[in-house]
Amino acid sequence: MNESIITRGMMFIDPHIHMSSRTTDDYQMMQQSGIVAIIEPAFWLGQPRTNVGSFQDYFSSLVGWERFRASQFGIKHYCTIGLNSKEANNEALAEQVMELLPLYACKEGVVAIGEIGYDDMTPAEDKYFRLQLELAKELDMLVMIHTPHRDKKAGTSRSMDVCIEHGLKPSQVIVDHNNEETVAEVLDRGFWAAFTIYPNTKMGNARMVEIIRQYGSNRIIVDSSADWGVSDPLAVPKTALLMLERGISEMDVQQVCYQNALAAYSQSGEMQESDWLNLPPIDQRQTFSNNSVLRGQEPLVESHREYALIE
Ligand SMILES: [Zn+2]
């Protein structure tokens, strides 16, 4: 499979992608398309978890195996830790997850509490959203907000109201899954406005180009939110390419597909550009807990770090 996107040697960050549910082909294409760093937010599995141990192992894999797997393809991996809004509705389980969160939130490479917020805007979602905002404040951490796909405008406003109510600064909060209806308010109130680019429906990349044309590139972030559903791990480079083709300046493209994500999440102190500029060469002979990404194949061993597209 070779669908990598050539975009004049630009570097990209995908600050919202669920790699645990993606393949090594995806990692390879992402790296070849210029993606140098990614953030994997904690979320649900597509079906509800039944016990707290399954959260614990998942969080461990986000800071462990998945980070290793990314490194084997030359990509720097970060994550966020949180109780997603859907599973906040199982209160007995949510209580136990809340006790786990501080243990994982403070680990290296964890850049925010997230993705948290509302799904159906139930009282339980509201309760655990607020508790996690308090946790973020206590640990002085950033917050990544998942806004509901239904009743998006009201849900987005309310998410920001609640953040302010709990004393978070807008500059510490990244609001994701925006669209044309929500962007003006999010930017006006000083929050970061992230956009998830889906391949067919919802927020497509042609619509994204028009948003940049209208609102500029300040505090706007593009991501893929690729997961186990219909989604595209190359959404960021593909959107960048379309923007360039449609006359958006290279500087603006760089802002929304790289620089703003770096500016937002580097506030955590856990993520800086030198992390990927100084990545060691890929050595697929390496293992994690005695497991490698290879299945009998010849390991890739670089003599020096190669950025495929950087002149
Ligand atoms: Zn997500």
Side-chain angles (χ1 to χ4, degrees):
M1 205 185 286
N2 191 5
E3 293 175 32
S4 35
I5 312 300
I6 305 298
T7 23
R8 306 182 196 172
M10 293 173 80
M11 286 194 291
F12 303 110
I13 296 172
D14 188 343
H16 188 149
I17 183 162
H18 302 287
M19 290 311 296
S20 305
S21 45
R22 308 297 310 191
T23 65
T24 53
D25 282 352
D26 291 338
Y27 268 129
Q28 233 155 6
M29 288 190 299
M30 288 160 65
Q31 197 262 335
Q32 286 163 3
S33 302
I35 295 177
V36 291
I38 53 178
I39 298 172
E40 175 154 7
F43 83 144
W44 74 311
L45 298 175
Q47 65 180 43
R49 294 175 176 87
T50 55
N51 63 76
V52 71
S54 124
F55 274 95
Q56 181 157 19
D57 288 340
Y58 174 65
F59 294 152
S60 293
S61 77
L62 292 183
V63 296
W65 170 249
E66 201 54 46
R67 185 178 294 172
F68 169 77
R69 211 163 72 99
S71 77
Q72 296 300 283
F73 296 91
I75 293 178
K76 182 70 188 167
H77 180 283
Y78 305 89
C79 68
T80 74
I81 293 290
L83 169 65
N84 65 85
S85 50
K86 268 185 191 291
E87 287 176 305
N89 290 302
N90 179 345
E91 287 203 55
L93 186 53
E95 280 304 316
Q96 299 174 60
V97 176
M98 286 306 300
E99 284 178 33
L100 268 186
L101 293 181
L103 305 176
Y104 285 91
C106 298
K107 288 197 189 289
E108 195 190 319
V110 178
V111 295
I113 297 291
E115 47 185 305
I116 59 172
Y118 296 113
D119 182 48
D120 265 338
M121 296 206 254
T122 62
E125 290 171 21
D126 189 60
K127 175 180 171 188
Y128 291 100
F129 181 33
R130 289 172 185 273
L131 284 172
Q132 291 183 91
L133 292 176
E134 283 301 317
L135 177 66
K137 225 178 62 181
E138 193 184 310
L139 299 176
D140 193 21
M141 288 183 74
L142 303 169
V143 173
M144 181 196 282
I145 303 279
H146 163 95
T147 54
H149 297 296
R150 294 174 295 277
D151 207 359
K152 175 162 296 279
K153 198 165 165 31
T156 304
S157 298
R158 182 158 155 202
S159 304
M160 291 187 287
D161 293 344
V162 172
C163 286
I164 297 294
E165 212 181 294
H166 285 268
L168 280 126
K169 292 195 216 101
S171 61
Q172 295 174 311
V173 181
I174 297 94
V175 181
D176 208 343
H177 312 316
N178 278 282
N179 64 21
E180 292 90 344
E181 279 201 311
T182 58
V183 56
E185 187 190 345
V186 173
L187 291 175
D188 286 348
R189 295 177 72 172
F191 291 79
W192 298 91
F195 289 80
T196 294
I197 310 301
Y198 294 104
N200 303 314
T201 54
K202 295 185 191 167
M203 191 67 228
N205 57 5
R207 285 165 62 187
M208 191 67 229
V209 176
E210 293 315 310
I211 286 173
I212 301 301
R213 232 190 273 289
Q214 192 176 344
Y215 295 93
S217 59
N218 200 15
R219 269 185 289 114
I220 289 182
I221 295 173
V222 174
D223 63 61
S224 73
S225 295
D227 57 17
W228 28 250
V230 177
S231 47
D232 184 357
L234 299 184
V236 175
K238 282 182 185 170
T239 304
L241 190 63
L242 189 70
M243 284 180 190
L244 293 171
E245 280 170 9
R246 298 204 172 167
I248 306 286
S249 77
E250 198 166 320
M251 212 186 79
D252 283 333
V253 175
Q254 195 89 62
Q255 287 282 320
V256 300
C257 296
Y258 181 81
Q259 205 61 48
N260 290 344
L262 173 59
Y265 288 102
S266 65
Q267 298 180 90
S268 67
E270 290 294 325
M271 173 176 176
Q272 50 254 315
E273 199 173 35
S274 57
D275 292 349
W276 50 91
L277 295 183
N278 299 330
L279 263 191
I282 294 172
D283 182 352
Q284 292 183 341
R285 295 169 304 188
Q286 290 173 339
T287 57
F288 180 90
S289 290
N290 293 322
N291 189 17
S292 86
V293 295
L294 300 175
R295 294 293 176 269
Q297 293 96 336
E298 206 40 47
L300 170 65
V301 181
E302 291 180 339
S303 55
H304 58 283
R305 186 72 276 274
E306 281 178 31
Y307 288 102
L309 299 170
I310 296 169
E311 293 96 334

